[in-house]
Amino acid sequence: MTSASPVDDTPTQALQRTRSAPHIAYIDQPAGEGAEGSDPVLLLHGVGSSSRTWGELLPLMGSRRFIAMDYRGHGASDAPTPPYVMDDFVDDAIRLLDELGVSRVHVIGFSIGALFAERLAIREPARVRSLLLLNSIANRSPEALERARARAAFIASTPPAEVAPKSAPRWFTPEFLTARPDLVAGEIAIVEKIAHAPYAAAYHVLVENDLIDEVKAIRCPTLIITGENDEGSTPAMSEALHQRIAGSRLTIVPGVKHYIHIERPQAIAAEWTRFVDQVEATPAA
């Protein structure tokens, strides 16, 4: 059973939808001059968010082709009746790429999107040219898992319109909350509009999945970035991924929390561009 699509009424780049169901909404930004032969980039957003979250980052990322999807139950995509499992989201991404005829991508995953990116690289290694794991969870301690489960219970019992404003201090620094209330309000608005059951189901997936024992299978070039003061996706978690993914690079962005792609897009874009240029200068295995 599939519910009606959530409404995403903020005009941005034109959203398209997959032919197959559940219908997944996505932005497909074509490659610019000189980048036509480069592998496309798949962007995977955070839990409760949508493809609109990349608005600050994408203009800084160069002229490659970028494909940014809305997960099932998020943004303008269909919302199948929960529960969901991790591979539901990964299968949707693969189905989208198949429909677009895209055989290989660079993948940028943020928060739960980093988990999906890791899973995609493990399942289909020939399809993933490189990974950027932004603010990924990994190797939670028992105490961290207990806190995460408590937050999942809060989200399951509290409407998104109430959860979203209270979450902003977890996402952004106090300075950014004051300096850019427009961008903060934009992300809050995305989460406020998500249907409650899909949001709670996706958050459950975030809490109950940890690929730390599987990521050693990842062989593609991998860049790992998190914020120094991220409470839920800590530097120690990114360090654990770095230790287990052979040849990976690790960057801790000082003075920021979770939404670094919104608060520090210039730093992320510069780091990723250097990384992906080096990847593409090296023949793929």
Side-chain angles (χ1 to χ4, degrees):
M1 179 178 178
T2 300
S3 71
S5 302
V7 175
D8 190 334
D9 56 8
T10 301
T12 54
Q13 294 172 276
L15 282 166
Q16 303 179 58
R17 284 162 62 81
T18 57
R19 298 184 299 275
S20 57
H23 301 291
I24 299 300
Y26 64 96
I27 294 168
D28 188 356
Q29 178 178 300
E33 185 177 354
E36 296 88 349
S38 299
D39 289 322
V41 184
L42 175 68
L43 297 108
L44 303 174
H45 61 73
V47 65
S49 191
S50 78
S51 56
R52 288 167 43 204
T53 196
W54 303 110
E56 293 300 300
L57 185 63
L58 273 183
L60 307 173
M61 297 287 275
S63 56
R64 294 173 178 81
R65 180 185 181 186
F66 289 92
I67 302 162
M69 63 185 288
D70 291 350
Y71 304 143
R72 56 175 58 206
H74 291 64
S77 291
D78 287 350
T81 302
Y84 303 153
V85 298
M86 179 186 289
D87 278 337
D88 290 333
F89 298 93
V90 177
D91 289 345
D92 289 339
I94 293 170
R95 180 164 52 89
L96 169 60
L97 295 176
D98 285 344
E99 284 200 13
L100 295 175
V102 174
S103 60
R104 190 175 66 180
V105 287
H106 301 283
V107 184
I108 297 174
F110 167 68
S111 192
I112 197 173
L115 281 176
F116 299 158
E118 292 158 17
R119 181 68 173 147
L120 179 59
I122 293 166
R123 280 183 50 182
E124 300 209 1
R127 191 154 214 169
V128 178
R129 184 72 176 94
S130 75
L131 290 176
L132 168 55
L133 305 178
L134 287 172
N135 305 77
S136 183
I137 67 97
N139 204 34
R140 281 192 180 106
S141 66
E143 296 76 18
L145 182 57
E146 182 178 353
R147 289 193 297 272
R149 285 175 171 161
R151 180 159 178 79
F154 168 69
I155 287 171
S157 63
T158 309
E162 185 177 337
V163 170
K166 293 179 179 179
S167 298
R170 293 171 54 90
W171 300 338
F172 301 106
T173 63
E175 296 78 11
F176 193 79
L177 290 170
T178 299
R180 293 303 306 266
D182 55 328
L183 295 181
V184 174
E187 195 61 36
I188 288 173
I190 294 173
V191 178
E192 284 178 330
K193 293 176 183 177
I194 191 172
H196 193 180
Y199 182 29
Y203 206 91
H204 178 81
V205 170
L206 173 64
V207 170
E208 298 301 332
N209 286 275
D210 187 338
L211 299 180
I212 194 62
D213 293 327
E214 301 175 42
V215 295
K216 62 181 180 296
I218 294 174
R219 291 292 180 263
C220 66
T222 301
L223 174 62
I224 304 166
I225 302 178
T226 199
E228 177 187 22
N229 299 320
D230 194 323
E231 301 171 23
S233 304
T234 64
M237 293 181 178
S238 286
E239 177 64 36
L241 288 170
H242 175 51
Q243 290 176 357
R244 289 164 175 80
I245 301 176
S248 62
R249 305 183 192 180
L250 173 63
T251 297
I252 307 300
V253 181
V256 289
K257 293 189 173 184
H258 197 53
Y259 273 66
I260 56 178
H261 62 289
I262 296 177
E263 188 158 349
R264 297 282 181 85
Q266 296 88 350
I268 301 306
E271 187 82 6
W272 180 80
T273 300
R274 286 192 296 269
F275 165 73
V276 83
D277 283 349
Q278 291 174 1
V279 170
E280 291 192 341
T282 304

